[in-house]
Amino acid sequence: MTSEPTIPFDVGILYEDADIVVIDKPHFLPTTPRGMWYRQTALMRLRQRYHDDAITPAHRLDRATAGVVVFVRNPAMRGMFQMLFQNHETCKTYECIAPLAPIDEHRGGRSITGITDPLAPPRAFPLRRSSHITKLRGVIQAFEEPGVINAVTDIDVADCQEAAVQTAAIQVAAVQTAASETEDNSAVEAPHIPLAPLGLRAYRLQPLTGKTHQLRVHMNALGLPMLGDDIYPRLIDRPYDDFSMPLQLVARELRFTDPRNGTPRIFRSRVPLTVPGEMLPMLSGGWLSSRRLPS
């Protein structure tokens, strides 16, 4: 695929041994080949890096989502690690940025069903969102509809309520620093700002099930669509090589008991939640109150 565009973000290695590799996947990089993406995927980059075509993902993250992903190097261990995820024997924690308070435009033309249960009343958070999510073949958006509950997410306010400011200059400097293998990254560290004055909040999400787009659908159903989401509440057509507005959803932490020896494993993503610098003038009056959507 000579026309396949380059995704200019590196895969971070959080852990590796003879059997597994745990990566910190950047936004925009697919986990596995699909559609137009082949070489520019986490799987193919790892196979090239380790010269090992046996490497296989134990699970997947959407292209738009950053964070922790486990790959298996040893074919004899492949089923063992994949079953951890299929049997929901892992604990996944995500973080996202979304509005501080619910908005009215989240419904996107669909009727919303589902159950929202406060877990520590009278406080609004933490809460549990339970619903039936349907994803039709060939349709980009998943949606909630009446039916047996098949998707459950626990949602709370994150501990840290600041985000990094992402600018083009910082991105370029970060790439140059990585290329030169400089140890001191202080020169490219992005400034952090509080989210509340921008009408935003960081949330901690724990999916108890694993439906397609579950976290995005559940946050949108609450009137809290994620910052940078180009699917919910409505589709936004962006060029495939536009990396200026990453979805602010990070698979922050993954916990499981190592099936090989019973060792507790905890892996944390270093990918920060960010607010694009170009959005700050829009955000100063509250994000969605002045959100400009592409025509």
Side-chain angles (χ1 to χ4, degrees), residues 28 63-64 103 105-106 108 140-141 213 216 220 225-248 279 282 287-288 290-295:
F28 301 108
R63 176 175 178 255
I103 59 170
E105 63 175 271
H106 70 283
I140 294 177
Q141 288 183 324
H213 292 180
R216 298 161 78 172
N220 183 58
M226 297 179 190
L227 182 65
D229 198 336
D230 57 6
I231 296 180
Y232 305 94
R234 62 176 63 86
L235 292 172
I236 299 175
D237 186 20
R238 291 198 182 104
Y240 57 79
D241 56 353
D242 179 358
F243 307 119
S244 64
M245 181 94 54
L247 172 69
Q248 290 309 298
M279 291 186 64
M282 296 166 54
W287 171 39
L288 286 158
S290 58
R291 188 181 185 194
R292 295 194 299 270
L293 299 176
S295 56

Side-chain angles (χ1 to χ4, degrees), residues 58-263:
H59 63 119
R60 290 171 175 79
L61 288 180
D62 289 342
R63 176 175 178 255
T65 306
V68 182
V69 187
V70 178
F71 287 80
V72 184
R73 304 173 72 175
N74 183 350
M77 299 291 174
R78 187 177 300 161
M80 186 181 297
F81 278 94
Q82 289 176 341
M83 290 305 293
L84 278 179
F85 293 90
Q86 293 177 20
N87 294 335
H88 306 292
E89 295 174 355
T90 64
C91 180
K92 303 175 184 178
T93 301
Y94 292 72
E95 290 177 348
C96 74
I97 295 177
L100 182 66
I103 59 170
D104 295 330
E105 63 175 271
H106 70 283
R107 294 179 180 270
R110 292 193 182 276
S111 60
I112 302 296
T113 64
I115 302 170
T116 301
D117 291 317
L119 299 179
R123 292 188 294 149
F125 293 97
L127 61 81
R128 175 168 292 174
R129 179 69 181 180
S130 306
S131 67
H132 183 93
I133 292 179
T134 296
K135 177 70 167 63
L136 300 177
R137 186 178 182 84
V139 178
I140 294 177
Q141 288 183 324
F143 58 93
E144 293 182 323
E145 64 177 352
V148 176
I149 289 173
N150 64 2
V152 181
T153 306
D154 287 347
I155 302 169
D156 202 354
V157 176
D159 294 332
C160 179
Q161 291 299 316
E162 291 186 345
V165 178
Q166 175 186 319
T167 67
I170 289 174
Q171 283 183 301
V172 170
V175 170
Q176 292 173 340
T177 298
S180 62
E181 298 183 351
T182 302
E183 295 293 333
D184 182 10
N185 293 333
S186 59
V188 298
E189 184 176 351
H192 283 66
I193 57 172
L195 290 168
L198 308 179
L200 299 172
R201 176 184 277 167
Y203 296 87
R204 182 171 61 250
L205 315 174
Q206 290 189 308
L208 305 185
T209 54
K211 303 301 290 184
T212 300
H213 292 180
Q214 175 178 316
L215 301 181
R216 298 161 78 172
V217 170
H218 277 172
M219 290 296 287
N220 183 58
L222 295 172
L224 303 171
M226 297 179 190
L227 182 65
D229 198 336
D230 57 6
I231 296 180
Y232 305 94
R234 62 176 63 86
L235 292 172
I236 299 175
D237 186 20
R238 291 198 182 104
Y240 57 79
D241 56 353
D242 179 358
F243 307 119
S244 64
M245 181 94 54
L247 172 69
Q248 290 309 298
L249 175 63
V250 176
R252 180 63 64 204
E253 184 178 275
L254 176 65
R255 295 173 179 249
F256 59 85
T257 299
D258 195 318
R260 298 170 294 180
N261 51 28
T263 301

